[in-house]
Amino acid sequence: NQPADQGEDVSAYTLDLQPGHQAPFSAWIDRDIPGLDHFLVQVDDCVLAESETHGQVSTRAGRVVVDKDGRAQVTAELVNASSTPVLVNGMMAAVYDSSGALIAAQDADVTPRYLGPNESAPLRASIYLPPGTGPQVQSYQLFMDVLAGQPAALPLNAARNVQILAHYVDAKGHFHLLGQITNPTSGGLMTALQATIYTDPSRSQVMDAAQMTTWLPLMPGETLPFDLSDWGLLNDSQGSTAGQAASISLRLEPFLTWTTSANARPLALSNETTSFQDGLALFSGQTTNNSANGITSGLATAVLRDKLTGQIVAADSAPLAIIDSAAPGQVIHYSITVALPPNTDPANLVTGISARGYQP
């Protein structure tokens, strides 16, 4: 009954918790604690929330599956069935055993923020479980703070400005959704794209969801290739469930979309190398801030096209390793690994690299 470790301070469900309601929390202590017998949790700081107008959303097409790595993958759709726009201020998912006892909980990896009237959007949470508890997972519950909210009108449209080029499973069994997004505005554009994969054409069951956010502003008329590869079940099943993907839905998130006057300018490239190995295209080299101003972030993008048709076969991007700011003339190394579709012959490909830097 003596303290074996001082534990950790953790912010537990910092959103509005309504009277009489409960919400889970999760605290990870990443070190060995000899002699651990039991633990205590002490609430040190709890403040009254400001008065807000709350909304409601419902869920559909949901399920929980424990993957091969012992994580609980929760997928569903959130539905705003009201006539009022709502803001999903935060989201946690928890899983339970057959007796209703809590096993684990975690913030959602993919979740919408703004939902218009009668709009739906994907939800995905990958929950790390205590060792050996995977077979005990029987159900899940979502905990969310939903407020009344009015998003600004989107300056672009997923149907017009986002194009799906292909989808494939790479040599490691990871699912890739290849596409491109175009900025139709007259200024810089930041946005986030959410993709939902369904098991059936009627979209009654969500299989998986992923999200891509622009790292830098897209300039007017600019088209950015993207590869959505951060999935849950689709990646952890070694590609065995990818054949069940019957329908794909794309959505742009208003909460993460805005226009900006900030500039993203091209960066000079040098010492470029390209190689192919085990179904991967490996790119490395250097970028140089060839402007008169510092850049605070940057992005290198690799695109591989079919030599005969010019169509994009694969693409990916990697942020540049910039700490604080890169001064004019500073050289920055980049490295990009692109997983190729199966049976791709590198001799039939044309490769291209570009890099851009953000100037506030």
PDB file of all heavy atoms in Angstrom, residues 3 31-32 113 124 144 146 164 226 235 241 245 259 329 333 339:
ATOM      1  N   PRO A   3       3.142   4.102  -2.342  1.00  0.00           N
ATOM      2  CA  PRO A   3       3.237   4.589  -3.733  1.00  0.00           C
ATOM      3  C   PRO A   3       4.444   3.986  -4.443  1.00  0.00           C
ATOM      4  O   PRO A   3       5.573   4.110  -3.984  1.00  0.00           O
ATOM      5  CB  PRO A   3       3.385   6.102  -3.568  1.00  0.00           C
ATOM      6  CG  PRO A   3       2.818   6.403  -2.218  1.00  0.00           C
ATOM      7  CD  PRO A   3       3.134   5.202  -1.377  1.00  0.00           C
ATOM      8  N   ARG A  31       6.245   3.119 -18.812  1.00  0.00           N
ATOM      9  CA  ARG A  31       7.460   2.697 -18.108  1.00  0.00           C
ATOM     10  C   ARG A  31       7.087   1.558 -17.154  1.00  0.00           C
ATOM     11  O   ARG A  31       5.926   1.355 -16.815  1.00  0.00           O
ATOM     12  CB  ARG A  31       8.077   3.860 -17.332  1.00  0.00           C
ATOM     13  CG  ARG A  31       7.135   4.525 -16.334  1.00  0.00           C
ATOM     14  CD  ARG A  31       7.806   5.729 -15.696  1.00  0.00           C
ATOM     15  NE  ARG A  31       6.921   6.422 -14.765  1.00  0.00           N
ATOM     16  CZ  ARG A  31       6.070   7.385 -15.116  1.00  0.00           C
ATOM     17  NH1 ARG A  31       5.994   7.767 -16.378  1.00  0.00           N
ATOM     18  NH2 ARG A  31       5.316   7.975 -14.218  1.00  0.00           N
ATOM     19  N   ASP A  32       8.093   0.823 -16.737  1.00  0.00           N
ATOM     20  CA  ASP A  32       7.876  -0.261 -15.784  1.00  0.00           C
ATOM     21  C   ASP A  32       7.644   0.314 -14.395  1.00  0.00           C
ATOM     22  O   ASP A  32       8.316   1.266 -13.975  1.00  0.00           O
ATOM     23  CB  ASP A  32       9.084  -1.199 -15.755  1.00  0.00           C
ATOM     24  CG  ASP A  32       9.229  -1.983 -17.047  1.00  0.00           C
ATOM     25  OD1 ASP A  32       8.185  -2.247 -17.673  1.00  0.00           O
ATOM     26  OD2 ASP A  32      10.371  -2.307 -17.425  1.00  0.00           O
ATOM     27  N   ARG A 113     -16.477  17.320 -37.972  1.00  0.00           N
ATOM     28  CA  ARG A 113     -16.675  18.394 -36.992  1.00  0.00           C
ATOM     29  C   ARG A 113     -18.013  19.092 -37.246  1.00  0.00           C
ATOM     30  O   ARG A 113     -18.901  19.047 -36.409  1.00  0.00           O
ATOM     31  CB  ARG A 113     -15.509  19.384 -37.052  1.00  0.00           C
ATOM     32  CG  ARG A 113     -14.155  18.778 -36.714  1.00  0.00           C
ATOM     33  CD  ARG A 113     -14.097  18.183 -35.304  1.00  0.00           C
ATOM     34  NE  ARG A 113     -14.447  19.130 -34.273  1.00  0.00           N
ATOM     35  CZ  ARG A 113     -13.592  19.996 -33.718  1.00  0.00           C
ATOM     36  NH1 ARG A 113     -12.334  20.032 -34.115  1.00  0.00           N
ATOM     37  NH2 ARG A 113     -13.987  20.815 -32.767  1.00  0.00           N
ATOM     38  N   ARG A 124     -14.082   6.878 -37.293  1.00  0.00           N
ATOM     39  CA  ARG A 124     -13.215   5.735 -37.054  1.00  0.00           C
ATOM     40  C   ARG A 124     -12.381   5.979 -35.818  1.00  0.00           C
ATOM     41  O   ARG A 124     -11.813   7.064 -35.640  1.00  0.00           O
ATOM     42  CB  ARG A 124     -12.278   5.472 -38.229  1.00  0.00           C
ATOM     43  CG  ARG A 124     -11.519   4.145 -38.086  1.00  0.00           C
ATOM     44  CD  ARG A 124     -10.382   4.021 -39.082  1.00  0.00           C
ATOM     45  NE  ARG A 124      -9.126   4.463 -38.495  1.00  0.00           N
ATOM     46  CZ  ARG A 124      -8.194   5.147 -39.148  1.00  0.00           C
ATOM     47  NH1 ARG A 124      -8.394   5.521 -40.382  1.00  0.00           N
ATOM     48  NH2 ARG A 124      -7.073   5.483 -38.555  1.00  0.00           N
ATOM     49  N   MET A 144     -19.609  12.021 -27.015  1.00  0.00           N
ATOM     50  CA  MET A 144     -19.301  13.208 -27.802  1.00  0.00           C
ATOM     51  C   MET A 144     -19.941  14.448 -27.196  1.00  0.00           C
ATOM     52  O   MET A 144     -20.937  14.363 -26.464  1.00  0.00           O
ATOM     53  CB  MET A 144     -19.756  13.014 -29.248  1.00  0.00           C
ATOM     54  CG  MET A 144     -21.235  12.801 -29.435  1.00  0.00           C
ATOM     55  SD  MET A 144     -21.630  12.252 -31.121  1.00  0.00           S
ATOM     56  CE  MET A 144     -21.827  10.490 -30.831  1.00  0.00           C
ATOM     57  N   VAL A 146     -21.630  17.705 -28.523  1.00  0.00           N
ATOM     58  CA  VAL A 146     -22.216  18.245 -29.752  1.00  0.00           C
ATOM     59  C   VAL A 146     -22.856  19.587 -29.451  1.00  0.00           C
ATOM     60  O   VAL A 146     -23.721  19.700 -28.569  1.00  0.00           O
ATOM     61  CB  VAL A 146     -23.256  17.275 -30.343  1.00  0.00           C
ATOM     62  CG1 VAL A 146     -23.823  17.834 -31.642  1.00  0.00           C
ATOM     63  CG2 VAL A 146     -22.633  15.906 -30.579  1.00  0.00           C
ATOM     64  N   ILE A 164     -11.188  10.658 -57.724  1.00  0.00           N
ATOM     65  CA  ILE A 164     -10.577   9.377 -57.379  1.00  0.00           C
ATOM     66  C   ILE A 164      -9.962   8.792 -58.644  1.00  0.00           C
ATOM     67  O   ILE A 164     -10.640   8.621 -59.658  1.00  0.00           O
ATOM     68  CB  ILE A 164     -11.605   8.404 -56.783  1.00  0.00           C
ATOM     69  CG1 ILE A 164     -12.145   8.949 -55.455  1.00  0.00           C
ATOM     70  CG2 ILE A 164     -10.971   7.031 -56.557  1.00  0.00           C
ATOM     71  CD1 ILE A 164     -13.214   8.074 -54.835  1.00  0.00           C
ATOM     72  N   PHE A 226      -2.990  12.897 -54.092  1.00  0.00           N
ATOM     73  CA  PHE A 226      -2.951  12.411 -52.723  1.00  0.00           C
ATOM     74  C   PHE A 226      -3.127  10.894 -52.707  1.00  0.00           C
ATOM     75  O   PHE A 226      -3.661  10.288 -53.639  1.00  0.00           O
ATOM     76  CB  PHE A 226      -4.024  13.076 -51.862  1.00  0.00           C
ATOM     77  CG  PHE A 226      -5.444  12.785 -52.282  1.00  0.00           C
ATOM     78  CD1 PHE A 226      -6.085  11.603 -51.925  1.00  0.00           C
ATOM     79  CD2 PHE A 226      -6.146  13.714 -53.041  1.00  0.00           C
ATOM     80  CE1 PHE A 226      -7.386  11.338 -52.317  1.00  0.00           C
ATOM     81  CE2 PHE A 226      -7.456  13.461 -53.448  1.00  0.00           C
ATOM     82  CZ  PHE A 226      -8.084  12.275 -53.069  1.00  0.00           C
ATOM     83  N   ASN A 235      -6.099  -1.846 -43.486  1.00  0.00           N
ATOM     84  CA  ASN A 235      -4.654  -2.047 -43.421  1.00  0.00           C
ATOM     85  C   ASN A 235      -4.277  -3.220 -42.522  1.00  0.00           C
ATOM     86  O   ASN A 235      -3.325  -3.938 -42.797  1.00  0.00           O
ATOM     87  CB  ASN A 235      -3.958  -0.783 -42.921  1.00  0.00           C
ATOM     88  CG  ASN A 235      -3.857   0.268 -44.000  1.00  0.00           C
ATOM     89  OD1 ASN A 235      -4.207   0.033 -45.147  1.00  0.00           O
ATOM     90  ND2 ASN A 235      -3.395   1.449 -43.645  1.00  0.00           N
ATOM     91  N   THR A 241      -9.694  -7.925 -46.588  1.00  0.00           N
ATOM     92  CA  THR A 241     -11.052  -7.370 -46.630  1.00  0.00           C
ATOM     93  C   THR A 241     -11.218  -6.323 -47.725  1.00  0.00           C
ATOM     94  O   THR A 241     -12.321  -5.823 -47.923  1.00  0.00           O
ATOM     95  CB  THR A 241     -11.415  -6.720 -45.277  1.00  0.00           C
ATOM     96  OG1 THR A 241     -10.506  -5.644 -45.012  1.00  0.00           O
ATOM     97  CG2 THR A 241     -11.334  -7.730 -44.148  1.00  0.00           C
ATOM     98  N   ALA A 245     -14.811  -3.898 -50.330  1.00  0.00           N
ATOM     99  CA  ALA A 245     -15.100  -2.473 -50.476  1.00  0.00           C
ATOM    100  C   ALA A 245     -15.997  -2.261 -51.690  1.00  0.00           C
ATOM    101  O   ALA A 245     -15.551  -2.325 -52.831  1.00  0.00           O
ATOM    102  CB  ALA A 245     -13.806  -1.675 -50.615  1.00  0.00           C
ATOM    103  N   THR A 259      -9.832  29.779 -46.675  1.00  0.00           N
ATOM    104  CA  THR A 259      -8.968  30.429 -47.659  1.00  0.00           C
ATOM    105  C   THR A 259      -7.971  31.330 -46.932  1.00  0.00           C
ATOM    106  O   THR A 259      -8.237  31.812 -45.831  1.00  0.00           O
ATOM    107  CB  THR A 259      -9.787  31.258 -48.660  1.00  0.00           C
ATOM    108  OG1 THR A 259     -10.598  32.204 -47.936  1.00  0.00           O
ATOM    109  CG2 THR A 259     -10.692  30.354 -49.484  1.00  0.00           C
ATOM    110  N   GLY A 329      18.173  30.266 -48.451  1.00  0.00           N
ATOM    111  CA  GLY A 329      19.379  29.532 -48.785  1.00  0.00           C
ATOM    112  C   GLY A 329      19.581  28.241 -48.023  1.00  0.00           C
ATOM    113  O   GLY A 329      20.487  27.464 -48.352  1.00  0.00           O
ATOM    114  N   HIS A 333      16.852  18.179 -46.359  1.00  0.00           N
ATOM    115  CA  HIS A 333      16.786  16.852 -46.966  1.00  0.00           C
ATOM    116  C   HIS A 333      15.337  16.371 -46.995  1.00  0.00           C
ATOM    117  O   HIS A 333      14.548  16.674 -46.097  1.00  0.00           O
ATOM    118  CB  HIS A 333      17.641  15.871 -46.170  1.00  0.00           C
ATOM    119  CG  HIS A 333      17.611  14.475 -46.717  1.00  0.00           C
ATOM    120  ND1 HIS A 333      18.330  14.085 -47.823  1.00  0.00           N
ATOM    121  CD2 HIS A 333      16.912  13.377 -46.314  1.00  0.00           C
ATOM    122  CE1 HIS A 333      18.097  12.808 -48.069  1.00  0.00           C
ATOM    123  NE2 HIS A 333      17.242  12.357 -47.172  1.00  0.00           N
ATOM    124  N   ALA A 339       4.347   3.311 -51.944  1.00  0.00           N
ATOM    125  CA  ALA A 339       3.979   1.916 -52.180  1.00  0.00           C
ATOM    126  C   ALA A 339       3.244   1.807 -53.510  1.00  0.00           C
ATOM    127  O   ALA A 339       2.264   2.521 -53.756  1.00  0.00           O
ATOM    128  CB  ALA A 339       3.095   1.410 -51.043  1.00  0.00           C
TER     129      ALA A 339
END
